[in-house]
Amino acid sequence: QVQLAESGGGLVQAGGSLRLSCVASGHIFSIDQMGWYRQAPGKQRELVALFTHSGGTNYADSVKGRFTISRDNAKNTVFLEMNNLKPEDTAVYCCYADPIVITKVAGTTVHRYLEVWGQGTLVTVSS
């Protein structure tokens, strides 16, 4: 029903910058939360930056002041501007969204929150 398409990952030297993009497509009624998580080898997936239900933003402490999340609601798109990248930022970055879709259950209209993950885009920061 909903797909997330990520782009922008790549190899960059420490101190450099990258900009990630994520576009949500499909039969979307609306999108509640949308943002970015990352997972480094051998580590748990962690929140990087997220537009929350309340309309605010959450950032991991490790990226505050360096990363900026932005969005284009009309295009169901979020961006992640990553500046002053460090080798510790190396990870697969995955877009996340919880779009609302409308379904029929036994003739009843139901609004459902989905939890959708992108396939991920690899960011590698060399020292």
Side-chain angles (χ1 to χ4, degrees):
Q1 294 178 298
V2 179
Q3 299 82 40
L4 303 178
E6 303 139 315
S7 62
L11 175 65
V12 65
Q13 291 182 319
S17 300
L18 285 173
R19 189 183 192 227
L20 307 182
S21 300
C22 176
V23 181
S25 61
H27 296 98
I28 301 170
F29 178 75
S30 63
I31 294 179
D32 186 14
Q33 298 182 115
M34 194 169 181
W36 296 91
Y37 290 73
R38 69 185 180 186
Q39 187 168 22
K43 295 185 177 180
Q44 297 292 320
R45 185 166 57 197
E46 65 173 344
L47 172 70
V48 178
L50 181 72
F51 281 109
T52 67
H53 174 77
S54 65
T57 55
N58 286 338
Y59 289 94
D61 288 340
S62 60
V63 307
K64 287 181 179 177
R66 299 188 298 120
F67 292 10
T68 302
I69 189 171
S70 60
R71 61 184 171 185
D72 184 339
N73 289 335
K75 298 180 179 179
N76 290 328
T77 301
V78 294
F79 307 93
L80 185 67
E81 181 72 27
M82 304 184 294
N83 298 312
N84 191 24
L85 283 160
K86 305 177 184 297
E88 304 92 278
D89 296 318
T90 295
V92 174
Y93 285 70
C94 294
C95 184
Y96 170 83
D98 51 4
I100 300 171
V101 299
I102 299 175
T103 60
K104 293 283 189 179
V105 179
T108 301
T109 299
V110 178
H111 291 69
R112 295 192 297 120
Y113 283 92
L114 303 182
E115 296 183 350
V116 184
W117 294 90
Q119 292 184 340
T121 184
L122 178 63
V123 172
T124 302
V125 184
S126 62
S127 60

